[in-house]
Amino acid sequence: MAWIEGDVRTKVEAQLKDLAGPVKMVLFADALTCEACPEMKDLLGELAGISDKLKYEEHNRLTEPDFALSYGVTKSPALVLEGPAGARVRFFGLPVGYEFVSLLEALHEVAAGKAEVAADTRERLGNLTRSAHIQVFVTPTCPYCPAAVRTAHRLATVFPQITADMVEASEFPELAEKYGVRGVPQIVVNDTVSLVGAQREGAFVDAILRATAASV
C-alpha cells in the first residue's frame, strides 16, 4: 500500500526539503502481535525515500528486547525519532490521519534539536531534575489530538528529562483501558496525572510538575 503519493507526496517533499539535520527513524516491529507493523514499515520506507536526511532502521522488538528497552520500547509498532538532542520523541501506533502532521512536525524539530516553547515554560521547567514520561492517547480521526501530541513532543525535544509518546488508543486497547481512556486526546504523565481534551502548554507544565513532585 502506498501512503504518500500524488499531491500528498509533492507537499511532503516540500515540507521535508529543508530539514536542519539528519534524523534516525528507528522502528521496533514484530510479526507475532503487531497487525499494523507492515503498514508502518511501508510508511517509513516511503518517508526515507523522500529525504536523504532521514535514516530508517528496523528492529525486531521480540528478538532484540534489550535494544528495544534501551529506547524505552515495550510494545510495537514503535517509532523512535533520534536526532542531535537524543531519542525522546516516540510514536506507538500508526501516525496517520491527523497524526501524520504531528510526525512531519516532529521530524523537523528532532532534526533541529530544538523547538519553540513559551518563556514561562522554560522558566518553570528549567530546573526539572526528575524524569517525566508523557503519553498522549489519540485516534487518527481526532482533530484536537495533533496539537496535544505536538506540545508533548516539543517539551521532550527541549527538556532532556522529558520523554513523550503518541499512543494510538485503538491499537493498544489494554493500555487505554489501564488509564481509563474514554475520550481523546488524553494526556497521562508518569502514570499519576491525567488530562483530557485540548490543553494549553501551561497545563502540560502543571501536570509535569505535579507528577514529578508525586514521584519524590
Side-chain angles (χ1 to χ4, degrees), residues 26-40:
V26 186
L27 172 65
F28 292 91
D30 73 76
L32 295 179
T33 66
C34 179
E35 293 183 5
C37 283
E39 294 171 301
M40 188 74 126

Side-chain angles (χ1 to χ4, degrees), residues 16-128:
L16 296 181
K17 70 178 181 180
D18 58 348
L19 287 175
V23 178
K24 184 161 65 172
M25 303 186 298
V26 186
L27 172 65
F28 292 91
D30 73 76
L32 295 179
T33 66
C34 179
E35 293 183 5
C37 283
E39 294 171 301
M40 188 74 126
K41 293 177 186 181
D42 290 343
L43 174 62
L44 298 180
E46 290 180 41
L47 275 175
I50 288 174
S51 172
D52 58 8
K53 291 182 180 178
L54 297 179
K55 310 302 180 185
Y56 169 45
E57 61 181 58
E58 180 186 325
H59 297 272
N60 188 308
R61 180 180 62 85
L62 300 181
T63 61
E64 302 175 78
D66 292 340
F67 188 68
L69 284 175
S70 74
Y71 280 90
V73 170
T74 59
K75 51 190 177 291
S76 46
L79 167 64
V80 183
L81 302 184
E82 186 170 6
R88 301 185 303 275
V89 170
R90 307 185 298 206
F91 292 82
F92 290 93
L94 276 169
V96 295
Y98 284 105
E99 290 306 329
F100 187 59
V101 175
S102 301
L103 174 58
L104 295 178
E105 293 199 7
L107 288 170
H108 271 280
E109 289 166 350
V110 170
K114 60 183 180 180
E116 294 296 324
V117 297
D120 181 65
T121 296
R122 289 186 181 274
E123 180 178 352
R124 297 180 68 199
L125 295 180
N127 295 319
L128 188 66

Side-chain angles (χ1 to χ4, degrees), residues 2 9 13 21 23 25 27-28 38 91 100 108 112 116 142 147 151 167 169 176-177 181 187 204 214:
R9 185 180 177 91
E13 288 174 345
V23 178
M25 303 186 298
L27 172 65
F28 292 91
F91 292 82
F100 187 59
H108 271 280
E116 294 296 324
C142 166
T151 298
V167 183
E177 184 65 26
V181 175
I187 301 115
F204 277 77

